[in-house]
Amino acid sequence: MSLFSNKDESKEEVVRNNSTNHIGKGTEIRGDLETGGIIRIDGKVYGNVKSKSKINLGEGSYVEGNIISQNAEVSGEVKGKLEITDMLILKPSAVISGDIFTGKLIIEAGAVLNGTCKMGDIKSSHINSNSNNNSKLNSNQQKQPTKATV
């Protein structure tokens, strides 16, 4: 019997990771979203958004919260931290107010970034930045945010 339940559980996991979710224009969500699959947001989300796959923020979308994903493409506005393990693409209409931790970054002309950006292995980079920030604050150095319009 355990063979059947393990097989059923693995099928369910594959379906969950291949799912596609869409938050349409005019939709507003308050609370955290988490999925194993792809999520496209064209509406507004007030909360954290997490995906094991890809997050796609359409033009006119708004997220007030942290975004955590393997890949992301942003055409809307984000107020929060972005932790993208592989590739982050900021389209011309993107407006980011927060820090970015990503493996690779593409910023297209017109995108706006108000925050800091760390690239490379985000797991070690993020851990090192937290410990380095504590020592910098102790030595009375202030972190200056990056403001860029491409």
Side-chain angles (χ1 to χ4, degrees), residues 10-31:
S10 65
K11 282 183 182 179
E12 186 178 317
E13 184 67 26
V14 169
V15 169
R16 227 178 309 153
N17 290 338
N18 289 330
S19 67
T20 300
N21 303 280
H22 185 214
I23 309 300
K25 283 188 178 191
T27 303
E28 186 175 295
I29 294 179
R30 295 185 184 274

Side-chain angles (χ1 to χ4, degrees), residues 19 32 41 45 48 52 58 74 76 85 89 106 114 116 122 149-150:
S19 67
D32 296 344
I41 299 172
V45 176
N48 300 321
K52 292 181 181 176
V74 179
T85 54
I89 301 170
I106 296 173
N114 296 312
T116 62
I122 71 158
T149 301
V150 180

Side-chain angles (χ1 to χ4, degrees), residues 137-148:
L137 292 175
N138 291 337
S139 63
N140 293 327
Q141 292 179 345
Q142 292 184 347
K143 183 169 122 180
Q144 296 296 322
T146 304
K147 292 188 180 185

Side-chain angles (χ1 to χ4, degrees), residues 78-82 95-100 113-117 146:
V78 177
K79 290 188 177 180
K81 179 173 57 175
L82 286 88
V95 178
I96 309 296
S97 299
D99 296 339
I100 293 175
L113 168 60
N114 296 312
T116 62
C117 179
T146 304

